[in-house]
Amino acid sequence: MGENILELDTERIENFIDRYLELERRAQQPYGVFSFLSGRREKKYQQTLEYFLDPNKPHGFGDTLLEVFLEVVGAPKLNLAAQHVEIEEEVHVADDDSEGRIDLVICGGQALDDHPDWAVFLELKVGADENENQTPTYAAADNWQFTWFDRTEITVDELDETYVYVKKAQANPPESCEFDAVDWRTVAETFDHRLQGSLFQYPNRSVIQLTDFIRSLQETENMDSPLDEDELAERLKLFFEYDDVIQQVEQAHRQFENDFDDVSTHLTARWGDRIRDRFDVAESGWKIRSNDSPKWQGLMPEYWDQDPFGWDSTVALYFRIPSTTEHLRKQELSFRLRLPPQRKVHKQTFEGDRSFNSVFTGKCTGEYEEGIRVELEKLDVDEITLGRASTLFTKTYDLDPENLVSSYFAQVTTAVDEFCSESSQLLRLLNSVFEESYEDVFGEPPAGEFSGTLSKRE
């Protein structure tokens, strides 16, 4: 790669950029097809998204769009080339005592297996908010009417599941804390970014269709208006004329993507060692929460990791420290506090309003809210969402783009120091909420005792 990049003709690149920018200045803005077709926009988006995400459809994108979409919605990183994927829309809950149908379900796994390994459940909203108890019903469902080879149902307990609520940026969040909110703006920007870097790789008509979909999403979020087909065709011709330059630049871009993956893998494997070098983790009664996925790295007192039912039912209040490529590209460390999905706690029966998460967040937004907010404001956190179990609060730390690795380790140490070592009052408040919630839900106190703050090494 290095030799090809060094041999690039800089004058030719400059000519390409000049001509491209000239096209950009002359871009027309007619209405997109989604603007005048009859029917609800939400339904049109649902069908279009299902088409472009499905690697088996004849659009020519393969699994490219599905891969970037799964990254945006926070699904575990997968090797899609080795996966069989099925996508269905309007999927019904299969439980006898429940009703409802969710907009899209994406399932994947080994083609020879009789059940998929993972699933992404998507509820799409464009205008209206969700119906009453809609997302909680979906999050509580045990079985779904989904076709996987000879099967007509899938069971959630056999899946690595992700729940996603796609909405307008300014719309209300989902009612269920199991659902992660993603806005249409982010989807549009992600697709647009992926498309602009490699237009020449895909069928012209598919590029035009996807571009129209992207522009419609941007209209929904009051972003830029769409381009017309003539302008896009001229833009494509320019890409074809300079495809040698673009391919070399894309080769460099792929290498950068691999570099980000390598950094993410390295940080996932080593950040815990750096924390152990600075703090007496085991001696303090704390534990590193390791996971193969960079998304789920974390730290917590061992006391906050309980198994109330004795069958590997996980109650874990922990500080989440994701080292994902998404955060690395943004040059930031996101330090947040979260609870586990309710299904990981209440595995056999779904407890609804009396679930551990609901009781915990209720206390955080009730009698303990003022005290917790005071402590969080002292720490200058960026976002406080005490009613949301998946992200009770977040503080973002900037990374040095000239040295992501060392700055990440430095900022991780700073964050752990601030929240876990020095903030004794915050930890005491959170522990009080933890203990009271645990006893309210399970009828007995947690096993063991709270160890307090994380002590530093001498």
Side-chain angles (χ1 to χ4, degrees):
M1 182 199 76
E3 292 182 0
N4 290 337
I5 295 301
L6 291 175
E7 292 174 1
L8 283 176
D9 186 338
T10 55
E11 182 178 355
R12 186 164 166 75
I13 293 176
E14 290 173 0
N15 289 338
F16 167 73
I17 293 173
D18 289 342
R19 291 180 61 184
Y20 184 87
L21 292 178
E22 178 60 28
L23 282 176
E24 190 74 15
R25 287 189 288 269
R26 294 192 287 110
Q28 301 298 312
Q29 299 181 351
Y31 290 109
V33 66
F34 289 88
S35 300
F36 56 78
L37 286 178
S38 61
R40 294 185 301 118
R41 183 169 289 210
E42 182 178 296
K43 181 69 172 178
K44 290 182 284 188
Y45 284 5
Q46 173 183 311
Q47 293 173 338
T48 306
L49 195 59
E50 188 274 338
Y51 172 76
F52 280 117
L53 294 183
D54 192 339
N56 303 308
K57 300 296 185 184
H59 43 60
F61 291 106
D63 57 19
T64 298
L65 298 179
L66 176 60
E67 182 178 13
V68 297
F69 183 78
L70 291 179
E71 182 176 342
V72 165
V73 302
K77 189 170 183 179
L78 302 160
N79 179 13
L80 292 177
Q83 299 272 319
H84 176 77
V85 175
E86 293 286 347
I87 305 178
E88 292 185 13
E89 56 176 321
E90 302 292 340
V91 180
H92 288 258
V93 176
D95 297 347
D96 292 337
D97 58 347
S98 185
E99 294 182 356
R101 59 184 180 184
I102 198 166
D103 292 326
L104 283 179
V105 177
I106 308 170
C107 282
Q110 299 300 314
L112 299 179
D113 290 349
D114 61 1
H115 194 280
D117 298 325
W118 56 269
V120 178
F121 297 90
L122 292 156
E123 181 62 23
L124 313 178
K125 297 295 182 184
V126 176
D129 290 332
E130 69 173 291
N131 298 329
E132 184 178 359
N133 205 41
Q134 187 175 19
T135 53
T137 297
Y138 298 156
D142 293 318
N143 301 283
W144 293 83
Q145 295 177 6
F146 188 96
T147 302
W148 179 264
F149 297 101
D150 295 333
R151 296 181 67 101
T152 57
E153 289 187 9
I154 55 173
T155 302
V156 175
D157 280 346
E158 297 183 42
L159 296 165
D160 184 359
E161 76 274 22
T162 303
Y163 297 94
V164 183
Y165 188 83
V166 188
K167 65 180 186 66
K168 295 177 70 172
Q170 300 303 318
N172 292 327
E175 183 179 343
S176 170
C177 62
E178 297 295 316
F179 277 76
D180 289 326
V182 175
D183 56 70
W184 288 111
R185 173 186 291 269
T186 302
V187 175
E189 289 175 345
T190 301
F191 282 171
D192 196 29
H193 175 74
R194 185 65 185 88
L195 189 63
Q196 293 303 322
S198 48
L199 287 173
F200 62 94
Q201 293 183 5
Y202 307 116
N204 195 332
R205 182 167 296 277
S206 290
V207 169
I208 292 172
Q209 292 169 344
L210 180 60
T211 300
D212 203 29
F213 180 45
I214 292 170
R215 299 304 183 239
S216 185
L217 297 181
Q218 292 173 332
E219 283 180 353
T220 295
E221 294 282 19
N222 296 318
M223 295 165 71
D224 295 332
S225 298
L227 303 170
D228 71 1
E229 292 188 16
D230 290 339
E231 189 278 330
L232 179 59
E234 189 172 355
R235 191 188 299 259
L236 285 170
K237 290 179 184 177
L238 184 61
F239 273 95
F240 289 132
E241 182 178 344
Y242 286 88
D243 65 344
D244 58 328
V245 171
I246 297 169
Q247 287 189 47
Q248 289 177 308
V249 173
E250 279 219 323
Q251 186 179 1
H253 176 73
R254 286 193 296 272
Q255 182 59 50
F256 285 132
E257 290 295 309
N258 291 335
D259 290 343
F260 274 120
D261 288 340
D262 290 344
V263 171
S264 176
T265 300
H266 175 69
L267 296 177
T268 298
R270 298 301 302 275
W271 75 269
D273 294 334
R274 296 302 179 97
I275 297 303
R276 294 186 188 95
D277 290 343
R278 177 71 181 273
F279 302 94
D280 286 321
V281 177
E283 292 80 357
S284 300
W286 284 61
K287 64 185 295 185
I288 304 291
R289 188 179 192 275
S290 300
N291 191 289
D292 291 338
S293 169
K295 181 178 178 180
W296 302 113
Q297 306 303 304
L299 177 71
M300 60 184 159
E302 292 185 11
Y303 185 62
W304 288 359
D305 186 13
Q306 298 279 336
D307 180 7
F309 298 120
W311 55 52
D312 193 29
S313 183
T314 304
V315 175
L317 174 67
Y318 68 98
F319 295 98
R320 182 178 161 201
I321 311 171
S323 53
T324 63
T325 57
E326 176 187 1
H327 287 104
L328 294 175
R329 290 190 191 97
K330 293 179 180 178
Q331 301 166 24
E332 67 181 29
L333 164 69
S334 177
F335 191 87
R336 59 189 68 181
L337 182 72
R338 71 159 291 153
L339 289 160
Q342 289 185 143
R343 186 171 300 281
K344 304 298 183 184
V345 180
H346 306 280
K347 289 192 172 185
Q348 294 190 354
T349 59
F350 187 78
E351 303 297 331
D353 291 340
R354 295 302 301 169
S355 71
F356 178 79
N357 286 7
S358 296
V359 173
F360 188 98
T361 54
K363 292 182 183 296
C364 284
T365 54
E367 62 264 41
Y368 284 93
E369 180 174 13
E370 183 177 357
I372 293 174
R373 283 187 176 273
V374 167
E375 296 303 314
L376 292 177
E377 287 167 3
K378 290 178 183 177
L379 291 164
D380 195 27
V381 299
D382 297 294
E383 185 177 16
I384 301 175
T385 49
L386 296 177
R388 187 174 183 186
S390 61
T391 309
L392 292 155
F393 58 78
T394 305
K395 182 170 181 179
T396 301
Y397 297 81
D398 293 332
L399 301 181
D400 181 359
E402 295 187 6
N403 199 330
L404 286 174
V405 173
S406 64
S407 65
Y408 177 90
F409 287 141
Q411 294 290 42
V412 163
T413 303
T414 298
V416 171
D417 199 4
E418 288 183 344
F419 284 89
C420 306
S421 182
E422 297 181 352
S423 303
S424 57
Q425 182 59 24
L426 174 63
L427 290 175
R428 281 196 293 267
L429 287 170
L430 292 172
N431 185 65
S432 295
V433 176
F434 180 82
E435 290 181 333
E436 291 181 19
S437 301
Y438 194 97
E439 191 156 4
D440 286 353
V441 174
F442 305 115
E444 60 183 14
E449 61 181 41
F450 182 55
S451 56
T453 57
L454 182 61
S455 61
K456 300 177 184 177
R457 293 189 181 276
E458 296 297 332

